[in-house]
Amino acid sequence: MMRTRPLKVALLGCGVVGSEVARIMTTHAADLAARIGAPVELAGVAVRRPDRVREGIDPSLVTTDATALVKRGDIDVVVEVIGGIEPARTLITTAFEHGASVVSANKALLAQDGAALHAAAEVNGRDLYYEAAVAGAIPLIRPLRESLAGDKVNRVLGIVNGTTNFILDKMDSTGAGYQEALDEATALGYAEADPTADVEGFDAAAKAAILAGIAFHTRVRLDDVYREGMTEVTAADIASARRMGCTIKLLAICERAADGESVTARVHPAMIPLTHPLASVREAYNAVFVESEAAGQLMFYGPGAGGEPTASAVLGDLVAVCRNRLAASRGPGESAYTRLPVSPMGKVVTRYHISLDVADKPGVLAQVATVFAEHGVSIDTVRQTGKDGEASLVVVTHRAHDAALSGTVEALRNLDTVRGVASIMRVEGE
């Protein structure tokens, strides 16, 4: 039997995502009620600019006083889609203190203060759900928190930022340079006017912190994630990757160490073989590859951003939280029992693609090979081209520690025959 008294929802933010959440709540009200077991009612919408026309939203619900809204004792669920650290953090904790559960899409806040938010939810006996914080509409958080809860996840490898994937895909498929591809992404609405958070890897790093924490049942904060942007990727790098049978993607990589005693989380551009499933992810799509002991290899793919896809994830969480509310139960909270340390980037082991500008004369290759050997870095392949006294030397290594590779590069820079290090790219996905 369906409960007639509605569950009341407060919406914090009514931008691209928030307006879609409100629209779906209205247009699919009957379906949502049937799935939950009670109607849901939009009880208030907190915004910064109340005079803006918001189609489909009763103006009487709009307020600029978000604090008063979340303090109302009749609110069952607060949906937070304003983003940023403050006032979102204070509003969420206030909502818990006044009896509401929370659905959030705030990746930056969760990556920075997820542990504190989970603790506040626990103390007050409320839910904190955040499927929309990572990879938009792609079901990823819930499978990691629930479907794979009985398994051991060893690696999460993914494309979690649509803007950077669009840019790199255009550079690869059309031969465009970075700026040209970025301009196209901006014109199509895939890139913000200030794309720094995307192209410098901040957005992906926040998502990596969340994924690593859930996958490995430990606390990983944004500061623990090694981050490298993709603004230095050139058309020459793309062409070199092609010659190796690879493409370049900005990847979020979360790994459990082979001995199981630590984890790593990192974001950086990397070459991946064209045979890898992630290589075929085009345009602004996202995809995440999960490797676990029992389930094996799983891939999650779909639109990773945008109003409708992100609202879909928010509404999925809203249904789950409302069901828990009716059943007087709670969903999964934070699982950080392993307390595994996060290793620094220097301990990461991977392959490398190094492009050097060198003098075109006998003995250069021998000098370069000696430097690699002295630092314990094994060479897989070498390709050299050149004329008129200048040459390009491309070295691909076997797997090596990042610290050892860094020492190698510094030593190479000191060789008289090395004019410069054109690029260094990690090779992943093998």
Side-chain angles (χ1 to χ4, degrees):
M1 179 181 295
M2 182 178 295
R3 192 181 86 164
T4 56
R5 184 173 68 82
L7 292 160
K8 294 190 176 183
V9 178
L11 178 61
L12 306 183
C14 199
V16 173
V17 176
S19 60
E20 280 299 315
V21 170
R23 182 188 67 80
I24 295 172
M25 284 184 64
T26 301
T27 58
H28 294 103
D31 286 333
L32 290 172
R35 294 166 191 171
I36 292 168
V40 288
E41 174 187 308
L42 189 59
V45 182
V47 299
R48 286 185 297 175
R49 292 181 284 272
D51 296 333
R52 179 180 295 176
V53 176
R54 293 172 172 84
E55 187 176 347
I57 296 178
D58 183 347
S60 68
L61 298 178
V62 176
T63 179
T64 57
D65 194 343
T67 301
L69 179 60
V70 300
K71 283 184 175 181
R72 280 174 47 177
D74 62 335
I75 299 296
D76 295 289
V77 183
V78 169
V79 174
E80 183 271 310
V81 288
I82 57 177
I85 306 302
E86 288 291 357
R89 173 170 48 198
T90 299
L91 291 171
I92 289 174
T93 55
T94 301
F96 289 140
E97 292 165 359
H98 287 78
S101 290
V102 173
V103 172
S104 176
N106 196 331
K107 54 187 170 287
L109 178 57
L110 287 158
Q112 179 171 305
D113 286 324
L117 295 181
H118 276 292
E122 179 72 26
V123 166
N124 292 283
R126 294 296 177 242
D127 278 327
L128 173 61
Y129 276 53
Y130 44 92
E131 185 67 64
V134 180
I138 304 172
L140 185 58
I141 301 298
R142 194 169 293 126
L144 285 172
R145 286 215 295 184
E146 300 177 33
S147 303
L148 295 174
D151 205 343
K152 182 180 181 182
V153 175
N154 291 317
R155 194 174 197 229
V156 179
L157 171 76
I159 299 164
V160 294
N161 182 277
T163 301
T164 55
N165 199 58
F166 180 89
I167 293 170
L168 290 170
D169 180 47
K170 288 301 175 184
M171 292 175 69
D172 183 57
S173 61
T174 69
Y178 166 75
Q179 189 61 51
E180 183 182 354
L182 173 59
D183 290 343
E184 183 176 354
T186 304
L188 292 173
Y190 292 129
E192 301 286 346
D194 179 0
T196 302
D198 294 323
V199 299
E200 294 295 351
F202 291 101
D203 175 84
K207 295 170 182 176
I210 295 169
L211 290 174
I214 297 171
F216 307 133
H217 302 277
T218 194
R219 287 180 179 170
V220 179
R221 299 181 73 252
L222 180 58
D223 292 345
D224 296 322
V225 181
Y226 173 83
R227 178 194 55 80
E228 199 177 296
M230 46 79 68
T231 57
E232 300 301 318
V233 176
T234 66
D237 293 327
I238 298 287
S240 188
R242 275 286 172 185
R243 285 192 290 270
M244 286 179 57
C246 293
T247 189
I248 296 175
K249 300 290 187 183
L250 184 75
L251 298 179
I253 305 169
C254 312
E255 294 179 304
R256 189 189 299 268
D259 62 7
E261 297 302 314
S262 64
V263 299
T264 59
R266 50 196 164 103
V267 168
H268 54 71
M271 295 182 178
I272 57 172
L274 295 174
T275 53
H276 193 281
L278 290 178
S280 62
V281 178
R282 307 295 300 276
E283 300 283 330
Y285 277 77
N286 285 192
V288 177
F289 207 69
V290 178
E291 300 175 10
S292 68
E293 287 193 356
Q297 297 179 332
L298 306 170
M299 183 166 164
F300 300 83
Y301 169 85
E308 290 185 358
T310 306
S312 172
V314 169
L315 267 295
D317 279 351
L318 179 63
V319 168
V321 169
C322 286
R323 286 172 175 170
N324 292 344
R325 191 84 169 186
L326 289 179
S329 64
R330 295 181 58 218
E334 183 188 32
S335 176
Y337 71 92
T338 63
R339 295 183 173 86
L340 295 173
V342 182
S343 294
M345 188 63 187
K347 293 187 177 181
V348 170
V349 177
T350 189
R351 298 178 67 207
Y352 292 86
H353 174 282
I354 304 101
S355 179
L356 305 171
D357 294 327
V358 300
D360 187 15
K361 63 182 184 180
V364 173
L365 180 56
Q367 286 184 332
V368 168
T370 297
V371 170
F372 275 87
E374 288 173 347
H375 288 81
V377 179
S378 175
I379 294 175
D380 182 18
T381 62
V382 176
R383 184 178 71 253
Q384 183 173 0
T385 58
K387 62 179 181 179
D388 300 328
E390 299 296 329
S392 174
L393 187 65
V394 175
V395 178
V396 179
T397 74
H398 288 291
R399 291 174 65 82
H401 280 96
D402 186 85
L405 195 282
S406 296
T408 303
V409 171
E410 286 305 308
L412 288 171
R413 295 183 196 276
N414 292 326
L415 292 178
D416 293 338
T417 52
V418 174
R419 311 292 193 224
V421 179
S423 69
I424 303 171
M425 188 79 62
R426 295 172 181 85
V427 182
E428 301 284 348
E430 294 182 303

